[in-house]
PDB file of all heavy atoms in Angstrom:
ATOM      1  N   VAL A  53     150.134 135.488  87.964  1.00  0.00           N
ATOM      2  CA  VAL A  53     148.709 135.172  88.016  1.00  0.00           C
ATOM      3  C   VAL A  53     148.039 135.817  86.800  1.00  0.00           C
ATOM      4  O   VAL A  53     148.171 137.027  86.597  1.00  0.00           O
ATOM      5  CB  VAL A  53     148.084 135.712  89.322  1.00  0.00           C
ATOM      6  CG1 VAL A  53     146.581 135.457  89.335  1.00  0.00           C
ATOM      7  CG2 VAL A  53     148.748 135.073  90.535  1.00  0.00           C
ATOM      8  N   LEU A  58     143.205 136.748  88.900  1.00  0.00           N
ATOM      9  CA  LEU A  58     143.490 137.815  89.856  1.00  0.00           C
ATOM     10  C   LEU A  58     142.332 137.944  90.842  1.00  0.00           C
ATOM     11  O   LEU A  58     141.160 137.891  90.451  1.00  0.00           O
ATOM     12  CB  LEU A  58     143.676 139.149  89.129  1.00  0.00           C
ATOM     13  CG  LEU A  58     144.945 139.320  88.296  1.00  0.00           C
ATOM     14  CD1 LEU A  58     144.839 140.581  87.454  1.00  0.00           C
ATOM     15  CD2 LEU A  58     146.183 139.368  89.185  1.00  0.00           C
ATOM     16  N   HIS A  59     142.649 138.121  92.112  1.00  0.00           N
ATOM     17  CA  HIS A  59     141.585 138.240  93.110  1.00  0.00           C
ATOM     18  C   HIS A  59     142.134 138.777  94.426  1.00  0.00           C
ATOM     19  O   HIS A  59     143.323 138.698  94.689  1.00  0.00           O
ATOM     20  CB  HIS A  59     140.927 136.876  93.367  1.00  0.00           C
ATOM     21  CG  HIS A  59     141.843 135.900  94.032  1.00  0.00           C
ATOM     22  ND1 HIS A  59     142.707 135.079  93.316  1.00  0.00           N
ATOM     23  CD2 HIS A  59     142.073 135.613  95.350  1.00  0.00           C
ATOM     24  CE1 HIS A  59     143.406 134.338  94.154  1.00  0.00           C
ATOM     25  NE2 HIS A  59     143.045 134.637  95.408  1.00  0.00           N
ATOM     26  N   VAL A 109     154.926 137.583  94.964  1.00  0.00           N
ATOM     27  CA  VAL A 109     154.763 139.031  94.844  1.00  0.00           C
ATOM     28  C   VAL A 109     153.310 139.382  95.138  1.00  0.00           C
ATOM     29  O   VAL A 109     152.388 138.780  94.570  1.00  0.00           O
ATOM     30  CB  VAL A 109     155.134 139.512  93.427  1.00  0.00           C
ATOM     31  CG1 VAL A 109     154.943 141.030  93.314  1.00  0.00           C
ATOM     32  CG2 VAL A 109     156.566 139.123  93.074  1.00  0.00           C
ATOM     33  N   VAL A 110     153.102 140.355  96.019  1.00  0.00           N
ATOM     34  CA  VAL A 110     151.753 140.795  96.348  1.00  0.00           C
ATOM     35  C   VAL A 110     151.687 142.318  96.262  1.00  0.00           C
ATOM     36  O   VAL A 110     152.707 143.009  96.306  1.00  0.00           O
ATOM     37  CB  VAL A 110     151.316 140.356  97.770  1.00  0.00           C
ATOM     38  CG1 VAL A 110     151.344 138.842  97.902  1.00  0.00           C
ATOM     39  CG2 VAL A 110     152.173 141.022  98.842  1.00  0.00           C
ATOM     40  N   HIS A 147     145.094 141.943 100.374  1.00  0.00           N
ATOM     41  CA  HIS A 147     146.202 141.958  99.420  1.00  0.00           C
ATOM     42  C   HIS A 147     145.790 141.226  98.153  1.00  0.00           C
ATOM     43  O   HIS A 147     144.862 140.405  98.165  1.00  0.00           O
ATOM     44  CB  HIS A 147     147.444 141.289 100.019  1.00  0.00           C
ATOM     45  CG  HIS A 147     147.214 139.858 100.394  1.00  0.00           C
ATOM     46  ND1 HIS A 147     146.605 139.477 101.561  1.00  0.00           N
ATOM     47  CD2 HIS A 147     147.493 138.705  99.720  1.00  0.00           C
ATOM     48  CE1 HIS A 147     146.523 138.167 101.615  1.00  0.00           C
ATOM     49  NE2 HIS A 147     147.052 137.668 100.509  1.00  0.00           N
ATOM     50  N   LEU A 148     146.490 141.507  97.081  1.00  0.00           N
ATOM     51  CA  LEU A 148     146.281 140.834  95.805  1.00  0.00           C
ATOM     52  C   LEU A 148     147.584 140.175  95.395  1.00  0.00           C
ATOM     53  O   LEU A 148     148.625 140.835  95.349  1.00  0.00           O
ATOM     54  CB  LEU A 148     145.827 141.846  94.749  1.00  0.00           C
ATOM     55  CG  LEU A 148     145.608 141.288  93.340  1.00  0.00           C
ATOM     56  CD1 LEU A 148     144.308 141.824  92.739  1.00  0.00           C
ATOM     57  CD2 LEU A 148     146.784 141.660  92.424  1.00  0.00           C
ATOM     58  N   ALA A 149     147.537 138.867  95.139  1.00  0.00           N
ATOM     59  CA  ALA A 149     148.734 138.140  94.701  1.00  0.00           C
ATOM     60  C   ALA A 149     148.953 138.388  93.211  1.00  0.00           C
ATOM     61  O   ALA A 149     148.055 138.178  92.396  1.00  0.00           O
ATOM     62  CB  ALA A 149     148.581 136.651  94.974  1.00  0.00           C
ATOM     63  N   LEU A 150     150.148 138.845  92.860  1.00  0.00           N
ATOM     64  CA  LEU A 150     150.509 139.047  91.459  1.00  0.00           C
ATOM     65  C   LEU A 150     151.256 137.840  90.895  1.00  0.00           C
ATOM     66  O   LEU A 150     151.231 137.591  89.697  1.00  0.00           O
ATOM     67  CB  LEU A 150     151.385 140.292  91.325  1.00  0.00           C
ATOM     68  CG  LEU A 150     150.671 141.618  91.633  1.00  0.00           C
ATOM     69  CD1 LEU A 150     151.687 142.730  91.856  1.00  0.00           C
ATOM     70  CD2 LEU A 150     149.725 141.981  90.495  1.00  0.00           C
ATOM     71  N   CYS A 151     151.945 137.106  91.778  1.00  0.00           N
ATOM     72  CA  CYS A 151     152.667 135.909  91.348  1.00  0.00           C
ATOM     73  C   CYS A 151     153.049 135.089  92.568  1.00  0.00           C
ATOM     74  O   CYS A 151     153.431 135.658  93.602  1.00  0.00           O
ATOM     75  CB  CYS A 151     153.939 136.307  90.588  1.00  0.00           C
ATOM     76  SG  CYS A 151     154.814 134.906  89.830  1.00  0.00           S
ATOM     77  N   TYR A 152     152.911 133.781  92.473  1.00  0.00           N
ATOM     78  CA  TYR A 152     153.438 132.872  93.486  1.00  0.00           C
ATOM     79  C   TYR A 152     154.784 132.358  92.980  1.00  0.00           C
ATOM     80  O   TYR A 152     154.901 131.945  91.823  1.00  0.00           O
ATOM     81  CB  TYR A 152     152.477 131.701  93.725  1.00  0.00           C
ATOM     82  CG  TYR A 152     151.136 132.123  94.250  1.00  0.00           C
ATOM     83  CD1 TYR A 152     150.063 132.296  93.378  1.00  0.00           C
ATOM     84  CD2 TYR A 152     150.934 132.356  95.606  1.00  0.00           C
ATOM     85  CE1 TYR A 152     148.815 132.697  93.852  1.00  0.00           C
ATOM     86  CE2 TYR A 152     149.698 132.751  96.092  1.00  0.00           C
ATOM     87  CZ  TYR A 152     148.645 132.920  95.208  1.00  0.00           C
ATOM     88  OH  TYR A 152     147.422 133.320  95.671  1.00  0.00           O
TER      89      TYR A 152
END
Side-chain angles (χ1 to χ4, degrees):
V53 177
L58 289 170
H59 67 273
V109 179
V110 300
H147 60 279
L148 178 135
L150 293 164
C151 187
Y152 298 96

